[in-house]
Amino acid sequence: DTEVTQTPKHLVMGMTNKKSLKCEQHMGHRAMYWYKQKAKKPPELMFVYSYEKLSINESVPSRFSPECPNSSLLNLHLHALQPEDSALYLCASSQLTLTGIVENTEAFFGQGTRLTVV
Amino acid sequence: KNQVEQSPQSLIILEGKNCTLQCNYTVSPFSNLRWYKQDTGRGPVSLTIMTFSENTKSNGRYTATLDADTKQSSLHITASQLSDSASYICVRGSTLGRLYFGRGTQLTVWP
């Protein structure tokens, strides 16, 4: 199983709503990522989790709140979003080597959640 | 400033033909140089990963090359198929798993 599964595939939410994006993988990967991709733009890194701990936060606004409840799951909690937050949100995972190095391991991406904020 | 520049921005070729996509990166050293294929509205799919010590890597009809001296990489696609129509993205891998994506080359294969 080399899949990263993201749910929901599409989400429309109002600016006062609270919603969550979910990501799941069963490849035993201990590094998981959230990326944001606007139309016709490259993905931009938001967060990195290593061994279920947040290792990188690329200065993402606090209205985005990540959570890694276990080694297979990654959530992104959304609250008070703005219309400009509408984008494709991609989850990815990769192996960590025995020394915790992730640089040269393949990253597997999910299909993404298409988020529209109205 | 984007650390990865790709050319051409878009390309149209006929089915069965070969093509080569270019990538220039501006920052080194780096951990690895990757090529991904992304269909519209879908997640990227890895094609190749090369460390800075590798010159070439193949994956079926895809062959990537890397010249660390000139900071250039290329992706060669042979015998193109209609399903090859997608965005091809050059990605620089850095510390802690950070990936820096280029803007991609939009390839369209016509029958």
Side-chain angles (χ1 to χ4, degrees):
Chain A
D1 181 6
T2 58
E3 275 197 7
V4 176
T5 304
Q6 290 187 243
T7 55
K9 286 187 171 51
H10 301 274
L11 178 63
V12 179
M13 61 184 290
M15 289 188 284
T16 58
N17 291 158
K18 285 185 183 180
K19 296 287 185 183
S20 296
L21 309 185
K22 296 186 182 302
C23 174
E24 189 169 4
Q25 57 87 15
H26 296 288
M27 294 178 278
H29 291 170
R30 302 302 293 277
M32 296 187 75
Y33 314 80
W34 281 114
Y35 284 83
K36 173 183 176 180
Q37 186 175 25
K38 303 281 278 183
K40 298 190 187 303
K41 295 288 180 63
E44 295 178 348
L45 182 65
M46 300 174 72
F47 302 104
V48 180
Y49 272 83
S50 301
Y51 295 111
E52 296 85 70
K53 294 200 183 325
L54 184 65
S55 57
I56 295 178
N57 175 344
E58 294 285 43
S59 302
V60 178
S62 60
R63 57 186 185 269
F64 296 91
S65 174
E67 177 197 22
C68 190
N70 60 56
S71 60
S72 299
L73 294 175
L74 185 66
N75 299 322
L76 186 62
H77 302 299
L78 314 172
H79 174 53
L81 294 193
Q82 303 297 310
E84 57 264 29
D85 296 321
S86 299
L88 181 68
Y89 287 84
L90 294 164
C91 173
S93 71
S94 59
Q95 262 311 357
L96 280 169
T97 65
L98 291 176
T99 53
I101 301 299
V102 70
E103 281 85 0
N104 295 330
T105 62
E106 185 171 347
F108 292 84
F109 283 81
Q111 296 300 301
T113 292
R114 174 69 62 190
L115 174 67
T116 303
V117 182
V118 297
Chain B
K1 185 181 186 308
N2 199 358
Q3 301 177 7
V4 179
E5 301 290 340
Q6 292 188 242
S7 62
Q9 190 174 1
S10 61
L11 180 63
I12 299 174
I13 62 173
L14 294 177
E15 187 179 12
K17 298 297 186 183
N18 304 335
C19 66
T20 299
L21 314 180
Q22 301 292 341
C23 172
N24 296 319
Y25 58 94
T26 58
V27 178
S28 63
F30 61 93
S31 298
N32 53 73
L33 207 294
R34 308 173 182 225
W35 284 92
Y36 281 85
K37 176 185 178 185
Q38 186 175 24
D39 293 309
T40 302
R42 310 290 290 272
V45 175
S46 178
L47 298 177
T48 63
I49 301 175
M50 290 181 291
T51 64
F52 66 88
S53 61
E54 295 179 288
N55 298 121
T56 186
K57 183 71 73 77
S58 290
N59 177 4
R61 295 182 296 105
Y62 303 103
T63 299
T65 64
L66 177 62
D67 186 332
D69 293 331
T70 61
K71 298 186 179 60
Q72 292 181 328
S73 178
S74 66
L75 180 70
H76 186 73
I77 304 174
T78 59
S80 60
Q81 301 175 357
L82 298 179
S83 58
D84 291 335
S85 295
S87 180
Y88 290 83
I89 309 175
C90 179
V91 181
R92 182 179 82 87
S94 186
T95 56
L96 298 175
R98 283 187 175 91
L99 299 179
Y100 295 96
F101 288 76
R103 292 183 177 275
T105 291
Q106 185 63 47
L107 176 66
T108 303
V109 181
W110 282 3

